[in-house]
Amino acid sequence: MDEAIGHYPADKKRSAALPLLHLWQEHFDFINDEAVTWIATKLGLQPINILELVTFYPMLREKRAGKTHIRVCRTLSCAMAGGYQVMENLCAATGIQRKTDPAGAGHTPISMSPDGNYSIEFVECLASCGTAPVCMINDELRQNVDPSSVVDLIVNRESRIVNRPEPHPLEHRIIFKNIGRKNWKTDIKTYLDDGGYEDLRKAVKMSRVDIVNEVKTSGLRGRGGAGFPCGVKWSFIKPDEKKPVYLICNADESEPGTFKDRYIIHEDPHQLLEGIAISCFALNARTAYTYIRGEFPEGAKILEGAIEEAREHNFLGKNILGSGFDVDVYIHRGAGAYICGEETGLIESLEGKRAYPRIKPPYFPAVLGLYMCPTIVNNVETLCAVKHIIAMGGAKYAQLGRSNNTGTRIVCVSGDVERPGYFEIEVGKVTMGQLIYQMAGGLKWGRQLKAVIPGGSSAKVLRADERFKIKQKQLDGATIEVEMSIDELPMDFDSLAAAGSMAGSGGVIVLDDSRDMVWALNNINEFYAHESCGQCTPCREGALWMKKITERMLNGGGVTEDPPTLKTIGDNIAGRTICAFGEACAWPTQSFVEKFPEEFAAHARKSFPPPLPPECTPEELTEREQIPTSPLAHDPGWEKAGADAVI
Ligand SMILES: Cc1cc2nc3c(=O)[nH]c(=O)nc-3n(C[C@H](O)[C@H](O)[C@H](O)COP(=O)(O)O)c2cc1C
Ligand code: SF4
Ligand code: FES
């Protein structure tokens, strides 16, 4: 415990709250009152500071679990591949009577088998959507689970990452060069034999400004979701900054449909550490934290081992490679909340609090980040790309991909395709059609494409028969507008934005013509209703309303007003919240309802709202969320609240 506390500045012991809670739970299986008071005293906090974490982070539990605890993923790609059958069959095999909510699906407290040997719960996306359906047996991930042979799953104790055999000819592998490579191991010797840490050697001989300029020249855009230019972000850090500067590697990888960072962490941890060390040197950041989601316990161990090895070889630690620069990298585990991926929520979580995102401005991390110090938050893949930019030079990197969409990126394909998986492509050099039909093997036999969610579940859905008008730059510099089909869409930031969606985190979820779009949206809505941090009323209430409405539509209770009501709830969330989760949860609903009106109308046939059962007790009424049954008046929003924006 003292070692864990030592990872944080002496006056910031609160940051150790989650690590201590993890250690306690690993040892005693659950967090009781004694744990709360003990940890609070140890960190000089009030018990409420610890209890509020236990009630916020889904992986922390206040009751004992079974000897074997099973977490079954219920998010879209897994649900499409049979995740709900996995749950049902596991319950039958272990004798668990699962508690269900009135609608019969989704999140409920952990259910136990009568003998206490097994417990089970649904969890959200485990970042392995390409090998769906998946579940975790204790700390081990099980992939490609066959719903009909779950007994085998409990007995067979193998947890290996499933790799694609060979890169596809349309791939251009740089970051994923070693992933799935024969005889490739994660130890430092293998990495060094392959030329590892040479780019760090090169970087520490460069000036900091030169490194930042190389990254700027490369045009690298962040791979975590927003696509913000990395070099521009880095240049917000003043070269003569007096406060400590922090680098945070965002390894939360929790956007449904995304499963690339997991492979880097598990299979090529030194590549990531080299990227982190170079970035720290460039930013003069002497401490870096890798915030890794709680559901990657194996990944956290692998990274911790790699950090030890890197320290032994003086790639981390004091005076690295004789440069006079000291840098330490620490692993900080989350505990199962999607909002920890949002950079300011992540920072709050790293400070030992609930992951409540901060309002921007003023809390832009580069200005007021971790411990109110300048902080750069970058995604795992972005930091790996930095290493390759140093290797090849920014200008050469910028020649990969397309203008304003440079380099390579890893796209993750899941859902209704023959060969789901990861593909590293030159950004924009592969079209959606090539990705789906050539690289991912096309749709299942006899099926047609219905829709694609191109950048993680937050991205607006694209309909297969849409036509898109995309502005394209010609060689002579002129811009022309080209009309194209979904198959012709280049897989890059600007084209997908022009098509009305986004490249986001690179998670492409494919839906074929067997899918009910209300069912798919309901699955997504359940995710957002569960993951809203609850700070903002439009997001907290709206996400729940949207889920309740799609759930009711699925259960045969849809009323004709439901589609416009859904749309107006979405309209009243987006743009009115503290963080971009508001958009992330509104966009799926807004786009599904708009693009598939016939399916939503078919589920919304009743002409009047269902009455509340008259026998409801007052307690039941307060427990039952109220669902609006007619469109809400459109709130003009803060930005229109008055000439001076004073509300
Ligand atoms: C709700 C929400 C969830 C997010 N989840 C992740 C995540 O899991 N991983 C990630 O790298 N970025 C995530 N982001 C984006 C981060 O806030 C941040 O922009 C990113 O880590 C910056 O890194 P980059 O510039 O390298 O992309 C999320 C953003 C939002 C709004
Ligand atoms: S938008 Fe949602 S997730 Fe973001 S701060 Fe508000 S309530 Fe929390
Ligand atoms: S791992 Fe199940 S949906 Fe992502």
mmCIF file of all heavy atoms in Angstrom, residues 513-546:
data_model
loop_
_atom_site.group_PDB
_atom_site.id
_atom_site.type_symbol
_atom_site.label_atom_id
_atom_site.label_comp_id
_atom_site.label_asym_id
_atom_site.label_seq_id
_atom_site.Cartn_x
_atom_site.Cartn_y
_atom_site.Cartn_z
ATOM 1 N N ASP A 513 -28.700 -6.424 -42.777
ATOM 2 C CA ASP A 513 -30.145 -6.212 -42.916
ATOM 3 C C ASP A 513 -30.984 -7.091 -42.001
ATOM 4 O O ASP A 513 -32.201 -7.014 -42.014
ATOM 5 C CB ASP A 513 -30.569 -6.390 -44.382
ATOM 6 C CG ASP A 513 -30.176 -7.757 -44.933
ATOM 7 O OD1 ASP A 513 -29.471 -8.512 -44.222
ATOM 8 O OD2 ASP A 513 -30.556 -8.070 -46.070
ATOM 9 N N SER A 514 -30.346 -7.922 -41.179
ATOM 10 C CA SER A 514 -31.139 -8.694 -40.213
ATOM 11 C C SER A 514 -31.381 -7.893 -38.936
ATOM 12 O O SER A 514 -32.126 -8.311 -38.064
ATOM 13 C CB SER A 514 -30.410 -9.997 -39.852
ATOM 14 O OG SER A 514 -29.246 -9.694 -39.105
ATOM 15 N N ARG A 515 -30.741 -6.743 -38.811
ATOM 16 C CA ARG A 515 -30.784 -6.015 -37.529
ATOM 17 C C ARG A 515 -31.972 -5.081 -37.421
ATOM 18 O O ARG A 515 -32.287 -4.350 -38.350
ATOM 19 C CB ARG A 515 -29.499 -5.193 -37.354
ATOM 20 C CG ARG A 515 -28.251 -6.018 -37.291
ATOM 21 C CD ARG A 515 -28.241 -6.938 -36.094
ATOM 22 N NE ARG A 515 -27.152 -7.911 -36.205
ATOM 23 C CZ ARG A 515 -27.004 -8.940 -35.407
ATOM 24 N NH1 ARG A 515 -27.863 -9.159 -34.430
ATOM 25 N NH2 ARG A 515 -26.001 -9.772 -35.575
ATOM 26 N N ASP A 516 -32.573 -5.107 -36.250
ATOM 27 C CA ASP A 516 -33.648 -4.170 -35.918
ATOM 28 C C ASP A 516 -32.972 -2.924 -35.346
ATOM 29 O O ASP A 516 -32.278 -3.004 -34.328
ATOM 30 C CB ASP A 516 -34.548 -4.856 -34.873
ATOM 31 C CG ASP A 516 -35.653 -3.957 -34.354
ATOM 32 O OD1 ASP A 516 -35.512 -2.725 -34.453
ATOM 33 O OD2 ASP A 516 -36.645 -4.505 -33.827
ATOM 34 N N MET A 517 -33.166 -1.791 -35.974
ATOM 35 C CA MET A 517 -32.421 -0.598 -35.565
ATOM 36 C C MET A 517 -32.900 -0.056 -34.219
ATOM 37 O O MET A 517 -32.154 0.634 -33.528
ATOM 38 C CB MET A 517 -32.496 0.482 -36.649
ATOM 39 C CG MET A 517 -31.864 0.038 -37.961
ATOM 40 S SD MET A 517 -30.196 -0.666 -37.771
ATOM 41 C CE MET A 517 -29.199 0.796 -37.860
ATOM 42 N N VAL A 518 -34.142 -0.349 -33.850
ATOM 43 C CA VAL A 518 -34.605 0.081 -32.526
ATOM 44 C C VAL A 518 -33.886 -0.756 -31.459
ATOM 45 O O VAL A 518 -33.438 -0.239 -30.428
ATOM 46 C CB VAL A 518 -36.147 -0.033 -32.397
ATOM 47 C CG1 VAL A 518 -36.605 0.374 -30.998
ATOM 48 C CG2 VAL A 518 -36.838 0.819 -33.458
ATOM 49 N N TRP A 519 -33.735 -2.023 -31.742
ATOM 50 C CA TRP A 519 -32.992 -2.911 -30.826
ATOM 51 C C TRP A 519 -31.546 -2.423 -30.680
ATOM 52 O O TRP A 519 -31.014 -2.325 -29.565
ATOM 53 C CB TRP A 519 -33.021 -4.343 -31.376
ATOM 54 C CG TRP A 519 -32.204 -5.311 -30.563
ATOM 55 C CD1 TRP A 519 -32.604 -6.007 -29.464
ATOM 56 C CD2 TRP A 519 -30.815 -5.643 -30.784
ATOM 57 N NE1 TRP A 519 -31.559 -6.766 -28.984
ATOM 58 C CE2 TRP A 519 -30.453 -6.565 -29.770
ATOM 59 C CE3 TRP A 519 -29.864 -5.275 -31.714
ATOM 60 C CZ2 TRP A 519 -29.178 -7.108 -29.674
ATOM 61 C CZ3 TRP A 519 -28.578 -5.813 -31.623
ATOM 62 C CH2 TRP A 519 -28.250 -6.724 -30.610
ATOM 63 N N ALA A 520 -30.917 -2.091 -31.834
ATOM 64 C CA ALA A 520 -29.512 -1.650 -31.781
ATOM 65 C C ALA A 520 -29.405 -0.340 -30.997
ATOM 66 O O ALA A 520 -28.524 -0.189 -30.138
ATOM 67 C CB ALA A 520 -28.969 -1.467 -33.194
ATOM 68 N N LEU A 521 -30.306 0.599 -31.259
ATOM 69 C CA LEU A 521 -30.236 1.878 -30.552
ATOM 70 C C LEU A 521 -30.508 1.680 -29.060
ATOM 71 O O LEU A 521 -29.874 2.303 -28.209
ATOM 72 C CB LEU A 521 -31.233 2.890 -31.139
ATOM 73 C CG LEU A 521 -31.245 4.239 -30.416
ATOM 74 C CD1 LEU A 521 -29.884 4.938 -30.502
ATOM 75 C CD2 LEU A 521 -32.336 5.154 -30.961
ATOM 76 N N ASN A 522 -31.428 0.777 -28.747
ATOM 77 C CA ASN A 522 -31.721 0.539 -27.335
ATOM 78 C C ASN A 522 -30.483 0.013 -26.609
ATOM 79 O O ASN A 522 -30.200 0.407 -25.470
ATOM 80 C CB ASN A 522 -32.882 -0.444 -27.202
ATOM 81 C CG ASN A 522 -33.251 -0.658 -25.748
ATOM 82 O OD1 ASN A 522 -33.515 0.297 -25.030
ATOM 83 N ND2 ASN A 522 -33.210 -1.901 -25.299
ATOM 84 N N ASN A 523 -29.746 -0.857 -27.285
ATOM 85 C CA ASN A 523 -28.512 -1.369 -26.676
ATOM 86 C C ASN A 523 -27.535 -0.215 -26.411
ATOM 87 O O ASN A 523 -26.932 -0.123 -25.332
ATOM 88 C CB ASN A 523 -27.871 -2.416 -27.600
ATOM 89 C CG ASN A 523 -26.634 -3.028 -26.972
ATOM 90 O OD1 ASN A 523 -25.595 -2.374 -26.895
ATOM 91 N ND2 ASN A 523 -26.743 -4.260 -26.491
ATOM 92 N N ILE A 524 -27.399 0.672 -27.403
ATOM 93 C CA ILE A 524 -26.483 1.813 -27.245
ATOM 94 C C ILE A 524 -27.000 2.742 -26.146
ATOM 95 O O ILE A 524 -26.236 3.228 -25.301
ATOM 96 C CB ILE A 524 -26.351 2.565 -28.592
ATOM 97 C CG1 ILE A 524 -25.683 1.669 -29.637
ATOM 98 C CG2 ILE A 524 -25.589 3.871 -28.426
ATOM 99 C CD1 ILE A 524 -25.647 2.252 -31.045
ATOM 100 N N ASN A 525 -28.308 2.968 -26.137
ATOM 101 C CA ASN A 525 -28.880 3.869 -25.121
ATOM 102 C C ASN A 525 -28.671 3.327 -23.709
ATOM 103 O O ASN A 525 -28.470 4.087 -22.756
ATOM 104 C CB ASN A 525 -30.374 4.085 -25.379
ATOM 105 C CG ASN A 525 -30.605 5.066 -26.524
ATOM 106 O OD1 ASN A 525 -29.677 5.739 -26.965
ATOM 107 N ND2 ASN A 525 -31.830 5.155 -26.998
ATOM 108 N N GLU A 526 -28.745 2.012 -23.595
ATOM 109 C CA GLU A 526 -28.518 1.425 -22.272
ATOM 110 C C GLU A 526 -27.095 1.738 -21.800
ATOM 111 O O GLU A 526 -26.850 2.027 -20.625
ATOM 112 C CB GLU A 526 -28.736 -0.092 -22.336
ATOM 113 C CG GLU A 526 -28.336 -0.770 -21.049
ATOM 114 C CD GLU A 526 -29.362 -1.729 -20.510
ATOM 115 O OE1 GLU A 526 -30.278 -2.106 -21.247
ATOM 116 O OE2 GLU A 526 -29.225 -2.096 -19.334
ATOM 117 N N PHE A 527 -26.162 1.676 -22.746
ATOM 118 C CA PHE A 527 -24.765 1.990 -22.404
ATOM 119 C C PHE A 527 -24.672 3.414 -21.851
ATOM 120 O O PHE A 527 -24.112 3.653 -20.778
ATOM 121 C CB PHE A 527 -23.890 1.834 -23.660
ATOM 122 C CG PHE A 527 -22.472 2.300 -23.477
ATOM 123 C CD1 PHE A 527 -21.543 1.506 -22.834
ATOM 124 C CD2 PHE A 527 -22.072 3.549 -23.933
ATOM 125 C CE1 PHE A 527 -20.234 1.937 -22.650
ATOM 126 C CE2 PHE A 527 -20.768 3.992 -23.761
ATOM 127 C CZ PHE A 527 -19.845 3.181 -23.112
ATOM 128 N N TYR A 528 -25.235 4.382 -22.581
ATOM 129 C CA TYR A 528 -25.062 5.772 -22.153
ATOM 130 C C TYR A 528 -25.845 6.086 -20.874
ATOM 131 O O TYR A 528 -25.386 6.862 -20.037
ATOM 132 C CB TYR A 528 -25.418 6.732 -23.298
ATOM 133 C CG TYR A 528 -24.378 6.647 -24.396
ATOM 134 C CD1 TYR A 528 -24.632 5.991 -25.586
ATOM 135 C CD2 TYR A 528 -23.107 7.172 -24.191
ATOM 136 C CE1 TYR A 528 -23.652 5.865 -26.560
ATOM 137 C CE2 TYR A 528 -22.112 7.043 -25.160
ATOM 138 C CZ TYR A 528 -22.390 6.394 -26.341
ATOM 139 O OH TYR A 528 -21.406 6.265 -27.285
ATOM 140 N N ALA A 529 -27.021 5.465 -20.744
ATOM 141 C CA ALA A 529 -27.785 5.701 -19.511
ATOM 142 C C ALA A 529 -26.990 5.192 -18.308
ATOM 143 O O ALA A 529 -26.991 5.792 -17.234
ATOM 144 C CB ALA A 529 -29.135 4.999 -19.600
ATOM 145 N N HIS A 530 -26.285 4.083 -18.502
ATOM 146 C CA HIS A 530 -25.511 3.504 -17.408
ATOM 147 C C HIS A 530 -24.256 4.322 -17.115
ATOM 148 O O HIS A 530 -23.805 4.409 -15.983
ATOM 149 C CB HIS A 530 -25.104 2.066 -17.784
ATOM 150 C CG HIS A 530 -24.434 1.320 -16.679
ATOM 151 N ND1 HIS A 530 -23.091 1.029 -16.691
ATOM 152 C CD2 HIS A 530 -24.913 0.806 -15.531
ATOM 153 C CE1 HIS A 530 -22.778 0.364 -15.599
ATOM 154 N NE2 HIS A 530 -23.867 0.218 -14.873
ATOM 155 N N GLU A 531 -23.687 4.956 -18.151
ATOM 156 C CA GLU A 531 -22.366 5.565 -18.004
ATOM 157 C C GLU A 531 -22.379 7.066 -17.730
ATOM 158 O O GLU A 531 -21.332 7.642 -17.429
ATOM 159 C CB GLU A 531 -21.521 5.279 -19.250
ATOM 160 C CG GLU A 531 -21.263 3.799 -19.503
ATOM 161 C CD GLU A 531 -20.506 3.115 -18.368
ATOM 162 O OE1 GLU A 531 -19.670 3.765 -17.714
ATOM 163 O OE2 GLU A 531 -20.786 1.921 -18.114
ATOM 164 N N SER A 532 -23.529 7.733 -17.870
ATOM 165 C CA SER A 532 -23.559 9.167 -17.582
ATOM 166 C C SER A 532 -23.078 9.403 -16.152
ATOM 167 O O SER A 532 -23.496 8.696 -15.233
ATOM 168 C CB SER A 532 -24.993 9.693 -17.713
ATOM 169 O OG SER A 532 -25.070 10.993 -17.165
ATOM 170 N N CYS A 533 -22.210 10.391 -15.969
ATOM 171 C CA CYS A 533 -21.695 10.612 -14.611
ATOM 172 C C CYS A 533 -22.735 11.297 -13.733
ATOM 173 O O CYS A 533 -22.608 11.296 -12.520
ATOM 174 C CB CYS A 533 -20.391 11.405 -14.647
ATOM 175 S SG CYS A 533 -20.623 13.192 -14.708
ATOM 176 N N GLY A 534 -23.732 11.901 -14.370
ATOM 177 C CA GLY A 534 -24.851 12.445 -13.608
ATOM 178 C C GLY A 534 -24.729 13.891 -13.199
ATOM 179 O O GLY A 534 -25.647 14.429 -12.561
ATOM 180 N N GLN A 535 -23.648 14.564 -13.589
ATOM 181 C CA GLN A 535 -23.514 15.961 -13.170
ATOM 182 C C GLN A 535 -24.529 16.885 -13.847
ATOM 183 O O GLN A 535 -25.032 17.810 -13.234
ATOM 184 C CB GLN A 535 -22.121 16.489 -13.544
ATOM 185 C CG GLN A 535 -21.016 16.147 -12.612
ATOM 186 C CD GLN A 535 -19.768 16.955 -12.950
ATOM 187 O OE1 GLN A 535 -19.436 17.885 -12.248
ATOM 188 N NE2 GLN A 535 -19.097 16.599 -14.022
ATOM 189 N N CYS A 536 -24.754 16.662 -15.154
ATOM 190 C CA CYS A 536 -25.607 17.596 -15.907
ATOM 191 C C CYS A 536 -27.002 16.993 -16.072
ATOM 192 O O CYS A 536 -27.136 15.851 -16.515
ATOM 193 C CB CYS A 536 -25.068 17.849 -17.306
ATOM 194 S SG CYS A 536 -23.294 17.988 -17.399
ATOM 195 N N THR A 537 -28.018 17.782 -15.757
ATOM 196 C CA THR A 537 -29.385 17.266 -15.841
ATOM 197 C C THR A 537 -29.739 16.779 -17.252
ATOM 198 O O THR A 537 -30.297 15.695 -17.395
ATOM 199 C CB THR A 537 -30.380 18.338 -15.362
ATOM 200 O OG1 THR A 537 -29.896 18.830 -14.115
ATOM 201 C CG2 THR A 537 -31.766 17.772 -15.183
ATOM 202 N N PRO A 538 -29.437 17.532 -18.324
ATOM 203 C CA PRO A 538 -29.851 17.043 -19.652
ATOM 204 C C PRO A 538 -29.273 15.669 -19.962
ATOM 205 O O PRO A 538 -29.964 14.815 -20.530
ATOM 206 C CB PRO A 538 -29.293 18.094 -20.621
ATOM 207 C CG PRO A 538 -29.051 19.303 -19.802
ATOM 208 C CD PRO A 538 -28.746 18.836 -18.415
ATOM 209 N N CYS A 539 -28.020 15.438 -19.576
ATOM 210 C CA CYS A 539 -27.377 14.159 -19.882
ATOM 211 C C CYS A 539 -27.905 13.065 -18.964
ATOM 212 O O CYS A 539 -28.321 11.992 -19.430
ATOM 213 C CB CYS A 539 -25.863 14.319 -19.739
ATOM 214 S SG CYS A 539 -24.953 12.771 -19.794
ATOM 215 N N ARG A 540 -27.918 13.348 -17.660
ATOM 216 C CA ARG A 540 -28.339 12.309 -16.700
ATOM 217 C C ARG A 540 -29.773 11.858 -16.979
ATOM 218 O O ARG A 540 -30.052 10.675 -17.113
ATOM 219 C CB ARG A 540 -28.230 12.875 -15.280
ATOM 220 C CG ARG A 540 -28.589 11.902 -14.187
ATOM 221 C CD ARG A 540 -28.613 12.596 -12.828
ATOM 222 N NE ARG A 540 -29.652 13.605 -12.740
ATOM 223 C CZ ARG A 540 -29.438 14.906 -12.560
ATOM 224 N NH1 ARG A 540 -28.212 15.363 -12.430
ATOM 225 N NH2 ARG A 540 -30.444 15.760 -12.509
ATOM 226 N N GLU A 541 -30.681 12.834 -17.092
ATOM 227 C CA GLU A 541 -32.092 12.482 -17.289
ATOM 228 C C GLU A 541 -32.354 12.045 -18.724
ATOM 229 O O GLU A 541 -33.040 11.073 -18.979
ATOM 230 C CB GLU A 541 -32.989 13.679 -16.931
ATOM 231 C CG GLU A 541 -32.830 14.179 -15.509
ATOM 232 C CD GLU A 541 -33.147 13.116 -14.479
ATOM 233 O OE1 GLU A 541 -34.140 12.394 -14.635
ATOM 234 O OE2 GLU A 541 -32.378 12.988 -13.501
ATOM 235 N N GLY A 542 -31.782 12.819 -19.669
ATOM 236 C CA GLY A 542 -32.056 12.558 -21.083
ATOM 237 C C GLY A 542 -31.586 11.181 -21.515
ATOM 238 O O GLY A 542 -32.290 10.463 -22.234
ATOM 239 N N ALA A 543 -30.381 10.794 -21.080
ATOM 240 C CA ALA A 543 -29.853 9.481 -21.478
ATOM 241 C C ALA A 543 -30.794 8.374 -20.971
ATOM 242 O O ALA A 543 -31.076 7.403 -21.671
ATOM 243 C CB ALA A 543 -28.450 9.291 -20.925
ATOM 244 N N LEU A 544 -31.303 8.564 -19.751
ATOM 245 C CA LEU A 544 -32.202 7.564 -19.178
ATOM 246 C C LEU A 544 -33.545 7.555 -19.912
ATOM 247 O O LEU A 544 -34.100 6.502 -20.215
ATOM 248 C CB LEU A 544 -32.401 7.876 -17.694
ATOM 249 C CG LEU A 544 -33.075 6.800 -16.877
ATOM 250 C CD1 LEU A 544 -32.195 5.560 -16.831
ATOM 251 C CD2 LEU A 544 -33.336 7.294 -15.462
ATOM 252 N N TRP A 545 -34.066 8.735 -20.220
ATOM 253 C CA TRP A 545 -35.344 8.800 -20.949
ATOM 254 C C TRP A 545 -35.218 8.109 -22.296
ATOM 255 O O TRP A 545 -36.090 7.352 -22.704
ATOM 256 C CB TRP A 545 -35.756 10.266 -21.185
ATOM 257 C CG TRP A 545 -36.193 11.019 -19.978
ATOM 258 C CD1 TRP A 545 -36.363 10.544 -18.714
ATOM 259 C CD2 TRP A 545 -36.514 12.408 -19.934
ATOM 260 N NE1 TRP A 545 -36.758 11.561 -17.875
ATOM 261 C CE2 TRP A 545 -36.869 12.712 -18.600
ATOM 262 C CE3 TRP A 545 -36.532 13.425 -20.872
ATOM 263 C CZ2 TRP A 545 -37.242 13.994 -18.196
ATOM 264 C CZ3 TRP A 545 -36.911 14.703 -20.479
ATOM 265 C CH2 TRP A 545 -37.258 14.980 -19.152
ATOM 266 N N MET A 546 -34.116 8.393 -22.987
ATOM 267 C CA MET A 546 -33.967 7.804 -24.330
ATOM 268 C C MET A 546 -33.948 6.285 -24.234
ATOM 269 O O MET A 546 -34.560 5.588 -25.034
ATOM 270 C CB MET A 546 -32.691 8.331 -25.001
ATOM 271 C CG MET A 546 -32.785 9.816 -25.334
ATOM 272 S SD MET A 546 -31.466 10.435 -26.372
ATOM 273 C CE MET A 546 -30.026 10.172 -25.385
#
